[in-house]
């Protein structure tokens, strides 16, 4: 056994928290019976009671070479020298996670979440970054890091009575669904179509998570799905490395020979199969479909297909979850931007460049500002009718004709009264403390599930093939913008792929649009304040260089430094109680309204320029200008608060 392997195993075995001082424990937020209107316990996988909550955890990045009180400078990367690297991590730096942080995180989950969640969504990047030339990553190290995290999940969620059970997918008390990150392979970002070394390796590492009937497709491309609530709800693991702009081994989703095309076709077939079974789906992956006017993280052809798929299966898909970017935010996909030329591979007109693999604080702010600019073009209504925002059917009292007309125009622009023109992707921040370690608990509606007794068994799935779905082979109605014009004879062409079937005209809006069973009600964002927990320094300001040395850069803990405090995750905010975002639930209409508010933000200079370009200042007297400013000040303050809250929460 090599030196680093011995070192890795020793570090993994050491928790080292017996010396830590006690701190007040923050209890898990919320009522465990949320979403169950009847008040009767619902039963989930393994015969467990459903709680209406699940855990999203991402970008853990364990580093077996991390050294406490080492340097956070780029050339050391918390592997040597002397500096501010704390016992539980070097917050706000680009160093990876010490094993102590991972042990503490899973210990906290065990003590505070284990008995109140129904399943786990684990969205990848489970090995350290390749950021130290003195210790280059190896295949064995990456595999060991992922095995280590699988074992942490076994410690917390493993069954006590599975010793003689021959089914490896029956080893957990709740389902756990993982996905590949761009740092879970070597070299990072680059993955060839399978079968390859990595699909075969993870087929073994994740043998406890991948259903037997999907092992073949996983070996081919690293994708699979698991029924987290049998016959009711499935989580789809997408291998987003085949969509990733920085993966030079593949080339999008337009050509039938591409692995991205194959994965999208697999997703189409399986979502149709779920529709026919009356099931719902969660979409999950590592790299999110980030796309602004200037930047993108996915190949454009893959983004186009994904957006079309989400639109056509809007009655099936409950929501989408991603990681990778280490910042908390959300994205809207606009189905009106889907067009035939791009779907068929002609994307030269867009000119978007790939997002940087490693983003600075400044480039991240620029990216979020680009999202804000994009959202400034969203249809916006000053006060969305309460009957829709709160999921009620009654109309507002004494509506004015003008207001009603404005609302009708607004709903027409967003795809109807439920906002079905759009879909949303939620990106959670990371465990690795580029800022502070975070995890997220999502609450969902379990009304109507109390009467279903699910079998006490391992992960179950029914997998469809193209031949098993005759309805998919029929001609599919295609939206006008999916047809492309031939420049020579001006005739229209159909897309060169099978487009998903839309929902039946009689189908009601899906859970992502209208409150019902499986609708996401809200989430609680947790963070661990490592500055206080490490207890080495008083707080200090951030820095903005490309390599994040951390806010304690250049400082060294004194000899006999104060003992670390007890590790806890605290509530940063709960969307169900948060007054700034004001999300009644996580249906699309609320996300559109929030994005619209964020998009309305303008700096004082931008506001003045906007008024001038609109000719407002020329038409008003001095007194009227003052009155106008007073009237808009309160509104501008509220909008500014929304934007700056969005910005600050991105960095946790």
């Amino acid at each position: 056994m090599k030196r680093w392997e011995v070192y890795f195993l020793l570090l993994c075995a050491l928790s080292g928290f017996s010396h830590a001082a006690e701190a007040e424990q923050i209890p898990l937020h919320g009522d465990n019976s949320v979403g169950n209107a009847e008040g009767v316990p619902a039963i989930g996988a393994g015969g467990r009671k459903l709680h209406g909550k699940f855990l999203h955890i991402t970008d853990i990045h364990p580093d077996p070479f991390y050294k406490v009180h080492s340097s956070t400078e780029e050339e050391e990367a918390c592997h040597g020298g002397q500096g501010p690297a704390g016992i539980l991590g070097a917050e706000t730096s680009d160093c990876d996670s010490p094993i102590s942080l991972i042990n503490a995180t899973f210990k906290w989950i065990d003590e505070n979440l284990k008995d109140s969640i129904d399943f786990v969504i684990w969205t990848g990047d489970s090995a350290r970054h390749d950021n130290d030339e003195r210790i280059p990553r190896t295949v064995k190290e990456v595999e060991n890091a992922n095995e280590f995290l699988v074992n942490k999940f076994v410690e917390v969620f493993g069954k006590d009575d599975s010793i003689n059970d021959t089914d490896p997918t029956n080893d957990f008390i709740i389902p756990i669904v993982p996905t590949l990150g761009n740092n879970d392979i070597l070299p990072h970002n680059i993955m060839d179509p399978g079968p390859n070394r990595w699909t075969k390796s993870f087929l073994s590492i994740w043998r406890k998570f991948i259903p037997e009937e999907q092992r073949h497709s996983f070996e081919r491309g690293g994708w699979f799905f698991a029924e987290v609530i049998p016959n009711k709800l499935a989580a789809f693991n997408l291998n987003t490395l085949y969509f990733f702009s920085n993966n030079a081994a593949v080339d999008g989703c337009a050509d039938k020979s591409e692995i991205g095309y194959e994965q999208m076709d697999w997703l189409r077939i399986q979502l149709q199969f779920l529709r026919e079974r009356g099931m719902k789906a969660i979409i999950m992956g590592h790299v999110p479909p980030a796309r602004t006017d200037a930047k993108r993280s996915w190949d454009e052809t893959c983004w186009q297909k994904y957006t079309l798929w989400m639109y056509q299966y809007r009655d099936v898909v409950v929501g989408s979850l991603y990681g990778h970017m280490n910042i908390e935010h959300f994205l809207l996909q606009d189905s009106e931007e889907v067009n035939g030329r791009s779907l068929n591979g002609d994307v030269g007109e867009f000119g978007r460049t790939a997002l940087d693999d490693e983003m600075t604080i400044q480039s991240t702010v620029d990216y979020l500002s680009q999202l804000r600019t994009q959202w400034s073009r969203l249809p916006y209504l000053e006060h969305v009718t309460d009957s829709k925002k709160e999921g009620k059917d009654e109309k507002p009292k004494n509506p004015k004709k003008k207001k009603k007309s404005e609302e009708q125009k607004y709903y027409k622009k967003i795809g109807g009264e439920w906002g079905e023109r759009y879909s949303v992707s939620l990106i959670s921040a990371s465990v690795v403390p580029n800022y502070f370690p975070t995890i997220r608990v999502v609450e969902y509606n379990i009304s109507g599930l109390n009467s279903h007794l699910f079998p006490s068994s391992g992960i179950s799935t029914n997998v469809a093939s193209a031949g098993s779905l005759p309805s998919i082979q029929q001609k599919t109605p295609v939206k006008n913008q999916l047809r492309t014009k031939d420049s020579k004879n001006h005739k229209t062409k159909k897309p060169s792929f099978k487009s998903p079937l839309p929902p039946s005209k009689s189908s009601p809006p899906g859970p992502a649009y209208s409150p019902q069973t499986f609708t996401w009600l809200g989430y609680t964002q947790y963070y661990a304040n490592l500055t206080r927990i490490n207890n080495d320094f008083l707080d200090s300001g951030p820095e903005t260089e490309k390599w994040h040395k951390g806010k304690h850069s250049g400082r060294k803990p004194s000899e006999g430094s104060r003992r670390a405090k007890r590790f806890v995750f605290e509530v940063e905010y709960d969307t169900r109680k948060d007054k700034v975002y004001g999300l009644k639930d996580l249906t699309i209409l609320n996300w559109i309204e929030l994005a619209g508010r964020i998009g309305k933000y303008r700096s004082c200079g931008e506001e003045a320029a906007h008024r001038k370009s609109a000719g407002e200042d020329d038409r008003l007297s001095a007194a009227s200008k003052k009155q106008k400013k007073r009237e808009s000040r309160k509104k501008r303050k509220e909008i500014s608060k929304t934007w700056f809250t969005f910005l600050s929460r991105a960095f946790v």
Side-chain angles (χ1 to χ4, degrees):
M1 184 176 287
K2 295 180 181 179
R3 178 184 64 82
W4 74 262
E5 290 179 274
V6 175
Y7 189 41
F8 186 93
L9 292 173
L10 284 172
L11 282 174
C12 293
L14 295 174
S15 296
F17 296 113
S18 59
H19 65 283
E22 293 292 318
E24 183 181 359
Q25 177 66 49
I26 305 297
L28 178 65
H29 220 59
D31 178 7
N32 287 347
S33 63
V34 64
N36 193 339
E38 294 85 350
V40 181
I43 307 298
R48 280 168 57 94
K49 179 180 73 171
L50 287 181
H51 302 278
K53 297 179 182 179
F54 66 86
L55 171 66
H56 181 198
I57 188 168
T58 192
D59 293 81
I60 303 174
H61 290 291
D63 184 357
F65 303 103
Y66 182 100
K67 292 182 179 178
V68 176
H69 294 165
S70 61
S71 172
T72 58
E73 298 292 327
E74 185 173 6
E75 60 271 16
E76 297 292 349
C78 292
H79 294 159
Q82 290 186 325
I87 187 173
L88 287 156
E91 73 276 22
T92 72
S93 79
D94 276 345
C95 294
D96 286 315
S97 301
I99 301 303
S100 57
L101 172 61
I102 295 163
N103 287 335
T105 296
F106 278 87
K107 183 174 184 288
W108 191 90
I109 291 171
D110 186 29
E111 295 173 349
N112 296 275
L113 296 181
K114 175 182 176 180
D115 297 322
S116 59
I117 57 175
D118 303 328
F119 52 91
V120 177
I121 301 295
W122 171 22
T123 50
D125 261 12
S126 303
R128 70 180 175 99
H129 292 91
D130 204 356
N131 55 18
D132 190 341
E133 294 179 353
R134 300 167 304 171
I135 316 174
R137 299 195 313 165
T138 66
V139 169
K140 190 63 178 174
E141 181 198 338
V142 172
E143 291 173 340
N144 282 355
N146 276 273
E147 287 275 17
F148 165 62
L149 287 180
V150 169
N151 289 334
K152 297 307 295 184
F153 279 106
V154 171
E155 286 179 17
V156 177
F157 298 107
K159 287 183 178 178
D160 296 329
D161 57 352
S162 62
I163 298 175
N164 298 319
D165 191 338
T166 59
D167 179 7
T169 66
N170 194 28
D171 290 351
F172 295 94
I173 57 176
I174 60 173
I176 297 164
V177 190
T179 195
L180 284 169
N182 63 308
N183 287 288
D184 294 325
I185 55 176
L186 204 67
H188 78 288
N189 295 345
I190 308 300
M191 186 173 188
D192 292 307
N196 57 46
R197 182 195 175 104
W198 293 107
T199 59
K200 292 176 182 178
S201 176
F202 277 95
L203 188 62
S204 174
I205 294 170
W206 291 347
R207 60 192 177 277
K208 298 177 183 293
F209 307 126
I210 304 169
E212 178 65 32
E213 56 271 34
Q214 296 194 61
R215 293 175 66 83
H216 177 73
S217 64
F218 182 88
E219 187 174 6
R220 167 60 178 154
W223 55 71
F224 75 97
F225 72 91
E227 295 184 20
V228 292
I229 301 179
N231 301 312
K232 297 293 178 182
L233 180 66
F236 278 76
N237 153 46
L238 298 183
N239 184 357
T240 54
L241 299 182
Y242 291 144
F243 307 151
F244 194 24
S245 296
N246 291 327
N247 184 2
V250 296
D251 190 20
C253 299
D255 196 300
K256 288 184 179 181
S257 65
E258 285 296 327
I259 191 73
Y261 181 104
E262 186 177 332
Q263 181 173 197
M264 280 297 186
D265 208 43
W266 167 83
L267 180 62
R268 172 184 65 86
I269 291 168
Q270 302 308 329
L271 288 178
Q272 179 65 23
F273 190 49
L274 257 65
R275 175 186 278 163
E276 295 182 0
R277 292 176 61 196
M279 290 182 64
K280 304 302 178 186
I282 293 172
I283 306 297
M284 57 175 284
H286 180 65
V287 181
R291 182 177 180 269
T292 67
D293 293 337
K295 299 284 187 177
R296 57 177 167 76
S297 60
W298 284 15
D299 182 275
E300 180 67 18
T301 60
C302 300
W303 185 92
Q304 291 276 330
K305 276 195 172 180
Y306 175 79
T307 301
L308 176 60
W309 268 225
M310 295 303 99
Y311 177 75
Q312 297 292 71
Y313 289 115
R314 59 193 182 275
D315 58 323
V316 177
V317 176
V318 174
S320 302
L321 301 167
Y322 297 92
H324 177 64
M325 300 186 75
N326 298 340
I327 56 170
E328 177 205 325
H329 62 298
F330 67 97
L331 302 167
L332 291 176
Q333 290 80 230
D334 183 358
S335 64
E336 290 294 317
E337 293 189 41
V338 175
N339 67 84
R341 287 190 180 278
S342 297
L343 286 165
N344 288 331
D346 182 5
V347 296
E349 61 194 86
F350 291 96
R352 293 183 178 88
T353 58
L355 278 166
D356 296 334
D357 192 26
E358 301 295 335
M359 299 173 70
T360 65
I361 292 177
Q362 185 56 55
S363 64
T364 301
V365 172
D366 291 343
Y367 160 72
L368 296 173
S369 297
Q370 289 170 16
L371 284 180
R372 174 173 65 85
T373 300
Q374 197 167 287
W375 293 340
S376 70
R377 300 190 291 270
L378 283 170
Y380 186 75
L381 188 64
E382 191 66 39
H383 297 289
V384 179
T385 308
D386 289 342
S387 62
K388 294 302 174 194
K389 202 171 180 185
E390 296 182 10
K392 299 177 181 178
D393 293 329
E394 62 266 19
K395 295 183 178 180
K397 297 179 180 179
N398 303 319
K400 297 179 181 179
K401 290 184 179 180
K402 183 178 179 181
K403 183 177 179 181
K404 184 177 181 180
S405 175
E406 289 175 354
E407 288 177 357
Q408 288 175 337
K409 291 178 182 178
Y410 171 73
Y411 290 126
K412 184 177 181 180
K413 288 178 181 177
I414 64 172
E417 58 187 0
W418 304 108
E420 291 179 290
R421 168 178 164 179
Y422 297 92
S423 59
V424 68
S425 298
L426 304 186
I427 298 94
S428 185
S430 56
V431 171
V432 66
N434 290 156
Y435 305 105
F436 280 143
T438 65
I439 58 176
R440 176 178 289 182
V441 174
V442 180
E443 302 180 31
Y444 67 101
N445 193 322
I446 56 174
S447 297
L449 296 179
N450 60 292
S451 61
H452 297 278
L453 184 64
F454 300 114
S456 179
S457 62
I459 297 172
S460 63
T461 57
N462 291 289
V463 185
S465 63
S468 68
L469 294 173
S471 60
I472 290 186
Q473 310 307 317
Q474 300 170 0
K475 290 185 178 180
T476 304
V478 181
K479 295 170 68 179
N480 289 335
Q481 68 263 31
L482 302 189
R483 297 176 178 266
T484 60
K485 285 189 177 182
D486 188 308
S487 58
K488 293 183 178 180
N489 54 29
H490 303 288
K491 291 183 179 179
T492 58
K493 294 181 180 179
K494 292 182 180 179
S496 58
F497 62 90
K498 292 175 182 175
S499 178
L501 290 168
S504 165
K505 291 183 178 180
S506 61
S507 296
Y513 298 88
S514 171
Q516 59 192 270
T517 304
F518 295 128
T519 292
W520 292 353
L521 303 172
Y523 63 77
T524 303
Q525 194 73 27
Y526 292 93
Y527 77 103
N529 187 333
L530 290 190
T531 301
R532 187 178 70 245
I533 295 169
N534 283 329
N535 200 28
D536 285 328
F537 305 102
L538 295 176
D539 202 357
S540 55
E543 42 72 44
T544 58
E545 298 177 20
K546 185 167 185 179
W547 170 269
H548 301 163
K549 296 179 288 187
K551 59 184 180 179
H552 305 307
S553 174
R555 304 172 69 187
K556 298 177 183 178
S558 59
E559 291 293 331
S561 183
R562 292 174 294 180
R563 293 185 302 172
K565 296 182 179 180
R566 186 182 179 190
F567 182 89
V568 294
F569 276 103
E570 305 172 54
V571 175
E572 181 192 8
Y573 70 100
D574 179 347
T575 61
R576 304 193 74 185
K577 299 180 178 180
D578 177 50
K579 294 182 180 179
V580 179
Y581 279 6
L583 296 169
K584 299 293 184 181
D585 55 35
L586 304 187
T587 51
I588 298 296
L589 202 62
N590 288 305
W591 288 114
I592 296 171
E593 193 272 337
L594 174 59
R597 270 191 286 137
I598 292 171
K600 283 185 72 66
Y601 168 77
R602 298 188 186 96
S603 65
C604 293
E606 290 172 330
E607 185 70 28
H610 174 74
R611 288 199 306 270
K612 187 175 181 180
S613 65
E616 291 181 13
D617 290 345
D618 297 334
R619 295 193 299 267
L620 298 174
S621 64
S624 297
K625 286 179 184 178
K626 282 188 177 181
Q627 179 65 23
K628 186 76 173 178
K629 285 182 179 180
R630 281 194 294 268
E631 291 174 353
S632 65
R633 191 173 294 129
K634 183 178 180 181
K635 185 193 301 182
R636 201 166 63 241
K637 184 177 180 181
E638 182 180 338
I639 291 171
S640 297
K641 187 176 183 180
T642 305
W643 159 244
F644 286 114
T645 298
F646 173 73
L647 199 61
S648 65
R649 285 176 177 172
F651 297 102
V652 192

